[in-house]
Amino acid sequence: PDFAKAYDDLIERLGVLDRGEVGPKVGEQFPEFNLPAGDGFLYSLSSLLRTGPAVISFNRGHWCPYCKLDLRSLATINDEVDRLGARIVSIMPDSARFTHDHAKKNDLPFPILSDIDLGYSLMLGLIFWVGPEVARLYQDAGVDLELYHGNPSHFLPMAAKFIVGQDGLVKARQVNIEFRERMAPEEIVAVLKRLRGPAR
């Protein structure tokens, strides 16, 4: 109950932001990134788009229960996404040692990229400060953002999904100030099928 109330208060505070105005819009170019993953490789948007569209999922962290569910749901559609010629990546602010362990333990078939100090999310306008009440609750619950992120700022990325076409343009998006809501897997697959066009 304490978390539910604190989250509701946080959402109300963030409600002054117009979710339609945050982050790249449909039809806009999605900015390039070069981000590390726990497997020791750097991943760039341009490299992902060489073979087809990309599903870019911004997640708050390996510790977040909503993100865990979201990542598991993405894993269930990964084979179909792959058949449609697309790739999935998750981007979160946790350092690679935490993301690598999480991906390995949960058999995630796609990489989790580390957005160190939230630099990329900040460039996209997708970050928010959790505030003192949520920070205290996280601390009491053993969620050590300072350890996971390597800094004491207590900023997190907004939960977001962007489907980027091979031309680098945003084809579909969902940016959620209400981070307990996520784009449905069926919607992701439907967008990718539209991008692929009619079966031959």
Side-chain angles (χ1 to χ4, degrees):
D2 289 343
F3 265 106
K5 182 181 184 309
Y7 278 163
D8 288 341
D9 291 345
L10 175 60
I11 296 305
E12 185 177 357
R13 172 167 65 84
L14 294 174
V16 298
L17 300 172
D18 181 349
R19 70 178 66 188
E21 295 300 320
V22 178
K25 318 293 187 301
V26 172
E28 292 183 351
Q29 194 77 29
F30 199 78
E32 179 66 275
F33 59 74
N34 283 280
L35 297 172
D39 57 12
F41 291 97
L42 279 173
Y43 288 79
S44 67
L45 177 64
S46 54
S47 66
L48 295 173
L49 297 180
R50 283 185 197 134
T51 55
V55 179
I56 315 294
S57 177
F58 286 83
N59 297 99
R60 300 184 328 138
H62 75 285
W63 50 270
C64 169
Y66 305 102
C67 298
K68 291 177 182 179
L69 291 170
D70 187 39
L71 292 172
R72 282 202 289 268
S73 74
L74 288 174
T76 64
I77 62 169
N78 186 74
D79 288 347
E80 188 167 10
V81 168
D82 187 60
R83 284 194 295 272
L84 291 168
R87 299 276 305 276
I88 297 173
V89 293
S90 168
I91 296 175
M92 61 177 66
D94 301 353
S95 65
R97 67 184 174 115
F98 296 107
T99 59
H100 179 67
D101 287 347
H102 181 74
K104 190 173 180 180
K105 287 177 183 175
N106 292 275
D107 295 320
L108 296 180
F110 49 80
I112 301 177
L113 313 184
S114 293
D115 184 13
I116 305 302
D117 290 336
L118 283 159
Y120 186 65
S121 299
L122 176 61
M123 182 179 77
L124 301 183
L126 294 177
I127 73 168
F128 66 93
W129 179 54
V130 302
E133 179 61 17
V134 173
R136 181 188 64 78
L137 288 169
Y138 282 162
Q139 185 176 17
D140 292 346
V143 176
D144 192 342
L145 294 183
E146 185 171 346
L147 174 65
Y148 303 151
H149 298 178
N151 67 66
S153 60
H154 291 95
F155 281 90
L156 288 175
M158 294 179 187
K161 293 278 188 306
F162 295 91
I163 299 178
V164 182
Q166 198 167 10
D167 57 4
L169 302 181
V170 177
K171 305 301 182 181
R173 50 161 269 158
Q174 183 184 50
V175 177
N176 268 343
I177 295 166
E178 171 49 275
F179 47 82
R180 291 167 288 191
E181 299 173 3
R182 308 296 172 103
M183 182 184 281
E186 298 82 7
E187 184 178 351
I188 294 171
V189 171
V191 172
L192 292 174
K193 284 181 177 178
R194 288 199 300 271
L195 292 178
R196 192 174 179 86
R200 295 175 182 173

